[in-house]
Amino acid sequence: MTSTAKLTALSSQTMALLLDREKGRRVDDQRIRRNLAVLRGVKEPGLKRQYEVMRAMFGEEQDDDIHEPYTDDPTPPLPPLPPPDVNLDLEAGRAHMHEGELFEEQQQIMQEQDTHLDTLAQSISRQHHISTQINGELEEHVGLLEALEEDVDNTHNRMATARRRLDRVVKGVGGNVSTVTIGVLILILLVLIVVFKT
């Protein structure tokens, strides 16, 4: 039977190939297929779980086009497993990676996150600056609208006062027309008397 150390090394190598494939790097799919075929019949629980994670990452279903695993053990192969849960934690698949590789990957992820956070902070700062300017302009416009409203009220009050005065004059003239007419006629009569007597 293949030794556990060799299978562990093969599993780690296959996981590294799958991670490179996920990052968009070119890898040999046939090599991954062969490695998965060798790992298919592992009995050690940790390697078996890693095999299932790698199979899910590769997108392989358990079918007959993966060759039978290499084994010297005459026992029959295990029945096919149900499809892995899509929500499997990929961290379990990375458990056998070397600490250096894992640390490097974590550092790269943290640098990418820092870059994204810096960009987000700059964007938020710009939006804060713009919103502060908009707030200042709105306050200025509110002041102008309040002054305009006050001017309109004052103009309305003056117009109402002028209208009341005009109404009084019209009423006064309408009631005094007969008095004015009588006064003018008396004046004309006096002028005629004076003219005819002389």
mmCIF file of all heavy atoms in Angstrom, residues 13 72 81 98 113 134 161 175:
data_model
loop_
_atom_site.group_PDB
_atom_site.id
_atom_site.type_symbol
_atom_site.label_atom_id
_atom_site.label_comp_id
_atom_site.label_asym_id
_atom_site.label_seq_id
_atom_site.Cartn_x
_atom_site.Cartn_y
_atom_site.Cartn_z
ATOM 1 N N GLN A 13 0.605 18.697 -2.870
ATOM 2 C CA GLN A 13 0.968 19.140 -4.215
ATOM 3 C C GLN A 13 -0.291 19.405 -5.056
ATOM 4 O O GLN A 13 -0.384 20.413 -5.758
ATOM 5 C CB GLN A 13 1.830 18.053 -4.862
ATOM 6 C CG GLN A 13 2.323 18.395 -6.243
ATOM 7 C CD GLN A 13 3.086 17.240 -6.867
ATOM 8 O OE1 GLN A 13 2.715 16.080 -6.676
ATOM 9 N NE2 GLN A 13 4.145 17.544 -7.597
ATOM 10 N N ASP A 72 -2.199 -1.407 -3.297
ATOM 11 C CA ASP A 72 -1.797 -2.817 -3.257
ATOM 12 C C ASP A 72 -2.796 -3.604 -2.430
ATOM 13 O O ASP A 72 -2.688 -4.814 -2.313
ATOM 14 C CB ASP A 72 -0.403 -2.955 -2.624
ATOM 15 C CG ASP A 72 0.652 -2.350 -3.534
ATOM 16 O OD1 ASP A 72 0.408 -2.291 -4.753
ATOM 17 O OD2 ASP A 72 1.700 -1.928 -3.020
ATOM 18 N N LEU A 81 -19.216 8.394 -2.605
ATOM 19 C CA LEU A 81 -19.698 9.308 -1.571
ATOM 20 C C LEU A 81 -20.745 10.236 -2.160
ATOM 21 O O LEU A 81 -20.729 10.530 -3.357
ATOM 22 C CB LEU A 81 -18.533 10.134 -1.022
ATOM 23 C CG LEU A 81 -17.468 9.339 -0.276
ATOM 24 C CD1 LEU A 81 -16.300 10.233 0.027
ATOM 25 C CD2 LEU A 81 -18.024 8.767 1.007
ATOM 26 N N HIS A 98 2.015 24.162 3.647
ATOM 27 C CA HIS A 98 3.132 24.547 4.492
ATOM 28 C C HIS A 98 2.835 25.892 5.135
ATOM 29 O O HIS A 98 2.164 26.739 4.559
ATOM 30 C CB HIS A 98 4.420 24.632 3.657
ATOM 31 C CG HIS A 98 4.816 23.312 3.084
ATOM 32 N ND1 HIS A 98 5.239 22.263 3.854
ATOM 33 C CD2 HIS A 98 4.830 22.866 1.798
ATOM 34 C CE1 HIS A 98 5.516 21.241 3.080
ATOM 35 N NE2 HIS A 98 5.263 21.568 1.824
ATOM 36 N N GLN A 113 -6.594 43.611 0.899
ATOM 37 C CA GLN A 113 -7.646 44.223 1.718
ATOM 38 C C GLN A 113 -7.254 45.634 2.137
ATOM 39 O O GLN A 113 -8.092 46.541 2.139
ATOM 40 C CB GLN A 113 -7.936 43.369 2.952
ATOM 41 C CG GLN A 113 -8.679 42.083 2.637
ATOM 42 C CD GLN A 113 -8.839 41.194 3.854
ATOM 43 O OE1 GLN A 113 -8.166 41.365 4.867
ATOM 44 N NE2 GLN A 113 -9.732 40.222 3.757
ATOM 45 N N ILE A 134 -22.223 70.680 0.103
ATOM 46 C CA ILE A 134 -23.658 70.725 -0.199
ATOM 47 C C ILE A 134 -24.419 71.268 1.006
ATOM 48 O O ILE A 134 -25.325 72.097 0.858
ATOM 49 C CB ILE A 134 -24.173 69.324 -0.603
ATOM 50 C CG1 ILE A 134 -23.609 68.942 -1.972
ATOM 51 C CG2 ILE A 134 -25.697 69.277 -0.618
ATOM 52 C CD1 ILE A 134 -23.903 67.521 -2.381
ATOM 53 N N THR A 161 -52.111 97.879 2.898
ATOM 54 C CA THR A 161 -52.334 99.216 3.466
ATOM 55 C C THR A 161 -52.708 100.218 2.368
ATOM 56 O O THR A 161 -53.655 101.008 2.516
ATOM 57 C CB THR A 161 -51.070 99.699 4.209
ATOM 58 O OG1 THR A 161 -50.730 98.718 5.201
ATOM 59 C CG2 THR A 161 -51.274 101.030 4.869
ATOM 60 N N GLY A 175 -69.181 109.682 -1.831
ATOM 61 C CA GLY A 175 -70.156 110.272 -0.930
ATOM 62 C C GLY A 175 -70.161 111.787 -0.995
ATOM 63 O O GLY A 175 -71.157 112.437 -0.709
#
